[in-house]
Amino acid sequence: MHSSLSKSVDETAYPDYPIREYQQSQQSSASYTNNNHPNPSTTATKLLPTAATHPRGPAPYGCGVVLFFHIPSTGGNSIANWFRKYASPRNGNITFYQTWTRSIGKDGNFLPNLQNVQDAFIEGMNDHVENLDSGEWRSGQYHIVQPPLNSTEDLWYKWRATVESQGCQMINAIMLRDPLNHAMSLYKILNRKNGTREEWMDYLEQPSGAGKWATMLDFFLYNINGPTGRNPYNATKEEKVRRGIELLQRHFDVVSLGDHTDFMNQVLNYTGWKHLNMPHTNVGKKTLEFTKKEVEKLYKLLVRNGDIDFVDAVKQRYNGHLSYLSDV
């Protein structure tokens, strides 16, 4: 397990949080899971302003916490290593926090005790956002086997409120990329999960299921935590896309699409940290080869899963995509 600044916790399973301001008057008629928790995919929703529009005063801010939401195969290792560079005393002595592990072993089976990893991450983050000194910044990484954002949104409200109560700012950041390129790049980890090419091509054939891989949208909503797998609520494509955009708007200050320089500049504008270069690391050097039929099939499945619409919406909301048509 990759961990720092975390403490051991008891083995009590962390419950699904009810989602604040997400369950509306329809909750009484919403369907429920076997655990008697409201099914987020069935409740009505009101979009809220983006986190970046909350009244804060001029940037850069004097203190706070930057939390990086690291989706695998989005160039996130380069970003995490960049944050770690700031932990050096000569670069700001900015504490970096993480607690994560791989979800699947080399035999292709889910590893045991994944809930304990989630619990440790939560307790570590609770500590990480407390007792900030004047002028102090900290950073952290959310990665594999973490509490699913879709059902633990209350934690993100709490962490931001805790930081803001100290006169500091919470900066949540995420890197996305083209969905087809992302899905194709996951093929490079095939051997690590004892997978076959057929499994990799077919994991999106069903709307839900465990799966050894997760698309960007499914990881963003549900992470990879075990047999419940991707889309545990069997939500429709439209529900997942709407929920994904809602969570981005509510909680994320930095949303970048495949542009590491843009990501870096946004973080520096918020924090005022000194500029450090971000070398690209963990870049796959082996050429990946796919047939035209495989690429076409994968693209159609990503459309059906909602990933294409999700990233199109991100382009329009955060990158001004097609904004030149606004007057047409």
Side-chain angles (χ1 to χ4, degrees):
M1 183 171 69
H2 304 261
S3 178
S4 60
L5 304 181
S6 63
K7 298 179 181 179
S8 61
V9 297
D10 60 39
E11 297 183 359
T12 303
Y14 184 74
D16 287 343
Y17 263 99
I19 297 171
R20 183 195 308 175
E21 296 181 290
Y22 181 54
Q23 295 155 1
Q24 306 292 327
S25 59
Q26 289 84 350
Q27 176 175 327
S28 59
S29 61
S31 65
Y32 283 73
T33 67
N34 292 333
N35 294 324
N36 293 322
H37 296 299
N39 180 339
S41 68
T42 63
T43 54
T45 303
K46 179 180 179 181
L47 292 179
L48 301 180
T50 65
T53 63
H54 294 175
R56 288 171 158 168
Y61 307 121
C63 58
V65 177
V66 182
L67 179 59
F68 169 47
F69 193 112
H70 180 179
I71 299 176
S73 294
T74 58
N77 281 325
S78 298
I79 295 173
N81 287 335
W82 180 68
F83 280 122
R84 290 187 188 97
K85 291 170 68 174
Y86 285 96
S88 168
R90 68 176 181 273
N91 293 331
N93 202 29
I94 297 168
T95 304
F96 178 82
Y97 169 72
Q98 64 173 356
T99 295
W100 63 275
T101 189
R102 299 190 185 279
S103 57
I104 296 174
K106 293 182 179 180
D107 61 358
N109 295 317
F110 282 99
L111 298 172
N113 303 318
L114 296 183
Q115 184 65 54
N116 293 345
V117 180
Q118 295 184 58
D119 292 341
F121 174 80
I122 292 167
E123 180 162 323
M125 270 301 298
N126 289 341
D127 290 343
H128 198 51
V129 298
E130 292 277 7
N131 302 315
L132 287 161
D133 292 331
S134 176
E136 181 183 6
W137 279 97
R138 300 172 187 171
S139 67
Q141 174 180 217
Y142 171 107
H143 197 25
I144 305 171
V145 190
Q146 315 283 239
L149 176 55
N150 178 62
S151 56
T152 60
E153 185 183 9
D154 201 69
L155 288 170
W156 294 69
Y157 281 119
K158 182 178 74 172
W159 292 332
R160 183 180 292 275
T162 300
V163 171
E164 290 178 347
S165 70
Q166 300 169 75
C168 301
Q169 297 297 332
M170 186 83 193
I171 308 299
N172 295 323
I174 189 170
M175 173 65 73
L176 303 170
R177 66 181 292 192
D178 173 78
L180 181 60
N181 287 338
H182 173 264
M184 293 170 68
S185 72
L186 293 177
Y187 182 76
K188 68 179 182 287
I189 61 175
L190 188 72
N191 292 334
R192 298 182 204 167
K193 299 187 176 186
N194 194 30
T196 66
R197 194 176 184 94
E198 291 73 23
E199 287 177 322
W200 175 81
M201 283 302 303
D202 293 341
Y203 81 104
L204 287 175
E205 288 283 4
Q206 302 299 322
S208 61
K212 298 177 182 180
W213 299 270
T215 68
M216 279 196 305
L217 178 56
D218 286 339
F219 187 90
F220 181 59
L221 294 175
Y222 312 118
N223 208 281
I224 304 177
N225 283 312
T228 56
R230 41 179 291 271
N231 196 8
Y233 301 103
N234 202 27
T236 66
K237 158 190 168 179
E238 292 78 12
E239 288 168 331
K240 290 199 300 182
V241 172
R242 180 205 50 74
R243 179 65 169 148
I245 293 300
E246 176 184 74
L247 289 169
L248 283 179
Q249 289 189 152
R250 286 183 176 180
H251 300 291
F252 286 83
D253 309 276
V254 176
V255 179
S256 190
L257 188 60
D259 189 335
H260 285 68
T261 299
D262 170 67
F263 180 100
M264 177 177 64
N265 288 337
Q266 287 192 61
V267 171
L268 295 182
N269 286 339
Y270 278 124
T271 61
W273 300 348
K274 76 175 186 178
H275 182 276
L276 296 176
N277 290 329
M278 185 189 293
H280 282 203
T281 58
N282 197 31
V283 179
K285 298 180 180 180
K286 183 179 179 181
T287 301
L288 302 179
E289 297 182 354
F290 307 93
T291 66
K292 180 174 180 290
K293 184 177 180 180
E294 286 176 327
V295 174
E296 290 175 343
K297 176 183 177 180
L298 189 55
Y299 181 81
K300 290 178 181 177
L301 291 173
L302 290 167
V303 169
R304 193 169 72 183
N305 196 60
D307 288 77
I308 303 300
D309 284 355
F310 176 63
V311 170
D312 281 348
V314 170
K315 289 179 181 178
Q316 293 182 43
R317 291 171 183 259
Y318 294 94
N319 294 72
H321 183 60
L322 300 181
S323 59
Y324 62 89
L325 296 177
S326 60
D327 296 330
V328 176

